[in-house]
Amino acid sequence: MTQSTGKRLLQYALTAKKTFIAALLLLTIGVAAELAGPFIAKNMIDNHMLAIEKPYFVTSEAENAAQYNNEWYKRGDRFEDGEAKGQEVRLLQIGRSFYFINEAVAEPGGKRSFEDGRVHIQNGDNEAVYPAVKLSADELFAFYKPELPGIYELVGLYAVFLVISIFAEFGKTYWLQSSANQVIRKLRTDVYAHIQRLPVYFFDNLPAGKVVSRVTNDTEAVKDLFIAVLSNFSSGIINITGVYIALFLLDWRLGLVSLFIVPIIVLWIVLYRKIATKYNTIIRSRLSEINAIINESIQGMSIIRIFRRQKQSSEEFERLNDDYQTYQNKMLNLNAFTSHNLVGSLRNFAFVIILCYFGFGSMGGSTFVSLGVLYAFVDVLGRLFQPITGMVNQLANLDTSMVSAGRVFKLMDEPGEPVTDGSMPRYKGNVVFKDVSFAYKQDYVLRDISFEARSGETVALVGHTGSGKSSIINLLFRFYDPQRGSITIDGQEVKDIPKQWLRSHMGIVLQDPYLFTGTIASNVSLGDEHISRERVERALREVGADKLLAHLPQGFDEPVVEKGSTLSAGQRQLISFARALAFDPAILILDEATSNIDTETESLIQQALEVLKQGRTTFIIAHRLSTIRSADQILVLHRGEIVERGSHDELMALGGRYFRMYQLQLGAGAEKPEAAPRAQNGTRLQPLYKESQA
């Protein structure tokens, strides 16, 4: 049973755990430094700016004291132990003006007013009246002057925390993105390595464009998870945690009231992902299909143009593109409905509750909480919604990343072929098929196939399309294993030989040889460090490739574009011959290797073939029967069975299916059947394929 996508992503994240931990540590430091701001502001308001309304006393010391009317006045909480206090005075604010009262004030809270040189303070039914003098700006500043050193100190402290948060933000961003790139590099490497281990038949049913989309687009979406989503969610969670700690430190009642936000956020995320996952699954699938159709169109562009299928191809692409746009718009509607609108509504609702419950009490002087606490609380609560907004804005990326990661891991869960280190000595190449039957799905495409190919022999496989020729080669390479029977090489069962070891001594030349982007020389060696440059050039000369490639400006270092499209069919074929020769396989498969070659080049190709076949067991799949006349053994297949076997002369003398195929290809000039040859025991050879079956 496979692990959940989240657990597997966590395992990949742990590969870069040091940088992730460092990033999260810096994030925590940055959040703490940022949240220090409201506490500094609270201290500045309550202890310096609004603290001017605290009791003042006449003092003889000028330090930390304000001078007014030739007297020194110091705030009551600034006196040291044992220091003498004189007469108490108060400064009260009414409107935008401050008033000096030269006596103690019993209850300064309440509704205030100034009239006829007196301050009136109304507390319910009680009213207190005090003689007062309005302070000028200079006189008021004299009382604020002792507070300036403390204010400057708090401003400096705020600047320090600001610098800390800037450096912490930089370090967090750098390390988080660095670790994300490290994780994605490993994920892409693992995906690509797994693709190399997938059995060949897996790619028969999955278009190349979809595989490319998994390796590129989907892993890039996972990268967004580690950079944007992880950054916002981790910083959001740490921020929210820090904010609630700050709220409870300011006032536990305010903290309790604001807790209602947490369950709303959790419920919101759960419901959002439930809907968004459905949309994103379709979006990622359509994107893969778009990549697949683009890849297919580029590969088959010449056919599309020749048969004038541009309109149909465009319509098919537009249908996929329109469907992709439809679900993208559904995601946009979902995000537009839930992101800023919902966050804004939640923030406003929280502020209304807090201000109604506590604000009016503070503003009216009933002292539920101080004005500094209320300011700090509103500031901190505002900071609570910044990370919430960041998290909500990343919900779409979160869901896209999780869906993409699921698609990547689904590909990685496909059973692959085991990779076995090491190698085996080059085998001789004695191949024996014994009663082999094979089916790709349910119907058998090969039935009771038995033959022997001795080392150094050339065995030709002929028959109509679908007769089973390629299936025999697929079994030999162990792209598939037969359901019945056995295949041995030098007497050893191929199922007991690791696939990599088995294929290391096999080579193949295809009807349409595949060349990689690089140079002619690199396409011969395929980057194998065991194949020297000298060996590459010798292989090219031995197959005669130097004759066809002599006109190229850079010779064997001539650049090769994708699939070798700038080279002729004969040039590509000779390069593939040289590739097979350089790897020196014990078993060589030639799959219609001369069918695309012009007559002038064919003689050169035939010479190269003779060089290539020397000292190795060769299997030739051929439709042009004239190219296999020298084969040691020809197997004629029909509907998955070997119906005739023998040399060219023997099969021609037999006058069966092979003779008719040869006659059709060469016309009336075909050889006439002679008397069937006799075997060593004197019995006449008979065709394995009965005429009644034709």
Side-chain angles (χ1 to χ4, degrees), residues 566-588:
T566 58
L567 300 173
S568 68
Q571 289 172 328
R572 293 198 301 270
Q573 198 63 278
L574 285 176
I575 293 170
S576 68
F577 284 170
R579 177 193 296 166
L581 187 62
F583 277 85
D584 189 27
I587 297 174
L588 176 66

Side-chain angles (χ1 to χ4, degrees), residues 368-564:
F368 269 105
V369 290
S370 71
L371 192 59
V373 170
L374 184 63
Y375 172 83
F377 186 85
V378 171
D379 189 345
V380 172
L381 190 62
R383 293 169 189 261
L384 173 66
F385 290 95
Q386 293 174 5
I388 291 176
T389 302
M391 291 168 66
V392 168
N393 289 341
Q394 291 301 323
L395 281 178
N397 286 335
L398 169 65
D399 200 76
T400 300
S401 300
M402 295 300 287
V403 170
S404 295
R407 286 163 51 82
V408 172
F409 291 137
K410 183 179 179 181
L411 178 64
M412 295 179 69
D413 287 336
E414 291 289 340
E417 297 175 345
V419 176
T420 307
D421 295 329
S423 61
M424 66 183 296
R426 187 177 186 272
Y427 41 73
K428 295 178 181 179
N430 294 309
V431 179
V432 176
F433 274 60
K434 185 177 181 181
D435 300 325
V436 171
S437 295
F438 169 68
Y440 289 102
K441 293 182 179 178
Q442 293 180 345
D443 298 330
Y444 280 97
V445 294
L446 294 176
R447 299 180 183 84
D448 299 322
I449 299 295
S450 296
F451 67 87
E452 180 179 356
R454 297 182 181 88
S455 177
E457 284 188 347
T458 298
V459 178
L461 306 174
V462 300
H464 60 75
T465 302
S467 60
K469 304 184 298 297
S470 297
S471 296
I472 291 177
I473 302 306
N474 286 338
L475 294 180
L476 192 59
F477 272 106
R478 283 202 68 196
F479 292 149
Y480 303 88
D481 287 322
Q483 281 80 12
R484 295 202 305 263
S486 66
I487 304 171
T488 60
I489 296 179
D490 294 351
Q492 187 175 2
E493 180 74 42
V494 294
K495 289 183 179 179
D496 299 332
I497 305 174
K499 294 180 180 180
Q500 288 80 17
W501 294 9
L502 180 75
R503 295 167 187 163
S504 64
H505 300 298
M506 290 183 179
I508 189 169
V509 178
L510 298 171
Q511 175 182 354
D512 186 14
Y514 195 95
L515 299 186
F516 296 91
T517 302
T519 64
I520 291 172
S522 69
N523 268 281
V524 174
S525 66
L526 294 181
D528 193 322
E529 59 185 13
H530 298 102
I531 298 177
S532 65
R533 173 71 181 207
E534 181 185 355
R535 187 169 165 184
V536 168
E537 293 182 357
R538 186 172 65 248
L540 285 164
R541 284 193 298 268
E542 287 180 359
V543 300
D546 55 332
K547 299 173 185 176
L548 278 184
L549 302 173
H551 69 285
L552 298 176
Q554 299 182 47
F556 296 152
D557 292 315
E558 183 72 16
V560 176
V561 297
E562 188 177 10
K563 292 187 176 182

Side-chain angles (χ1 to χ4, degrees), residues 41-259:
K42 168 190 172 296
N43 193 358
M44 191 180 295
I45 293 171
D46 284 348
N47 295 332
H48 294 285
M49 300 180 74
L50 295 185
I52 198 171
E53 289 198 353
K54 290 184 177 182
Y56 279 77
F57 296 87
V58 175
T59 180
S60 59
E61 299 289 337
E63 186 178 0
N64 292 328
Q67 189 176 26
Y68 176 69
N69 287 342
N70 298 322
E71 292 281 355
W72 293 98
Y73 298 93
K74 186 187 292 188
R75 243 173 56 187
D77 55 355
R78 298 286 172 83
F79 282 84
E80 297 180 1
D81 293 339
E83 188 178 351
K85 294 181 179 179
Q87 179 185 348
E88 179 180 348
V89 300
R90 296 295 289 267
L91 274 71
L92 297 182
Q93 182 180 8
I94 301 175
R96 300 177 64 179
S97 301
F98 281 83
Y99 298 86
F100 180 85
I101 300 175
N102 196 26
E103 59 181 291
V105 177
E107 295 184 10
K111 185 178 180 181
R112 303 171 183 175
S113 60
F114 178 76
E115 191 178 333
D116 298 330
R118 287 179 172 78
V119 168
H120 300 261
I121 302 176
Q122 187 77 35
N123 280 303
D125 295 333
N126 300 322
E127 181 181 16
V129 180
Y130 302 94
V133 177
K134 183 180 179 181
L135 296 175
S136 67
D138 290 338
E139 291 171 336
L140 178 62
F141 180 73
F143 283 94
Y144 271 118
K145 196 172 182 180
E147 308 299 324
L148 292 179
I151 292 175
Y152 293 153
E153 184 179 330
L154 290 175
V155 170
L157 187 61
Y158 179 80
V160 169
F161 281 120
L162 184 62
V163 171
I164 292 173
S165 66
I166 289 172
F167 279 100
E169 178 67 22
F170 170 79
K172 180 263 295 185
T173 303
Y174 176 79
W175 276 339
L176 200 59
Q177 295 201 12
S178 174
S179 52
N181 289 331
Q182 183 179 340
V183 169
I184 295 306
R185 180 189 62 80
K186 177 170 175 52
L187 178 60
R188 277 202 181 125
T189 302
D190 289 351
V191 174
Y192 188 76
H194 187 71
I195 289 173
Q196 302 297 318
R197 293 193 296 269
L198 289 174
V200 173
Y201 60 78
F202 174 81
F203 299 97
D204 295 340
N205 300 316
L206 190 65
K210 289 191 175 184
V211 179
V212 171
S213 183
R214 302 278 178 97
V215 182
T216 55
N217 295 341
D218 286 331
T219 53
E220 193 65 27
V222 177
K223 180 182 176 182
D224 292 338
L225 171 70
F226 286 106
I227 292 180
V229 178
L230 180 63
S231 173
N232 278 277
F233 270 79
S234 55
S235 62
I237 291 171
I238 292 174
N239 262 297
I240 291 171
T241 304
V243 163
Y244 272 107
I245 292 173
L247 291 177
F248 276 94
L249 287 175
L250 287 169
D251 191 282
W252 64 271
R253 295 166 297 176
L254 296 171
L256 284 177
V257 171
S258 58
L259 275 177

Side-chain angles (χ1 to χ4, degrees), residues 269-372:
I269 293 174
V270 170
L271 292 177
Y272 177 91
R273 287 214 59 215
K274 190 173 183 180
I275 300 171
T277 299
K278 180 174 67 175
Y279 293 159
N280 276 319
T281 301
I282 298 173
I283 288 171
R284 304 310 296 183
S285 176
R286 293 296 178 271
L287 187 59
S288 289
E289 291 172 7
I290 287 172
N291 284 335
I293 195 173
I294 291 173
N295 180 71
E296 189 178 61
S297 298
I298 293 172
Q299 299 290 339
M301 187 59 69
S302 58
I303 301 299
I304 293 174
R305 297 283 177 84
I306 290 169
F307 290 95
R308 302 181 303 280
R309 304 294 297 173
Q310 294 97 320
K311 183 178 180 181
Q312 289 82 352
S313 297
S314 297
E315 288 175 352
E316 185 180 356
F317 181 82
E318 286 176 11
R319 281 196 298 272
L320 284 174
N321 210 17
D322 289 345
D323 202 29
Y324 178 79
Q325 182 191 23
T326 298
Y327 281 94
Q328 281 282 28
N329 287 337
K330 288 183 178 181
M331 277 300 302
L332 287 174
N333 290 334
L334 179 64
N335 292 331
F337 178 73
T338 59
S339 57
H340 295 289
N341 293 337
L342 207 53
V343 173
S345 301
L346 192 60
R347 179 178 61 244
N348 294 336
F349 184 60
F351 280 151
V352 166
I353 291 178
I354 299 304
L355 290 174
C356 287
Y357 192 66
F358 292 101
F360 291 121
S362 294
M363 297 299 289
S366 54
T367 63
F368 269 105
V369 290
S370 71
L371 192 59

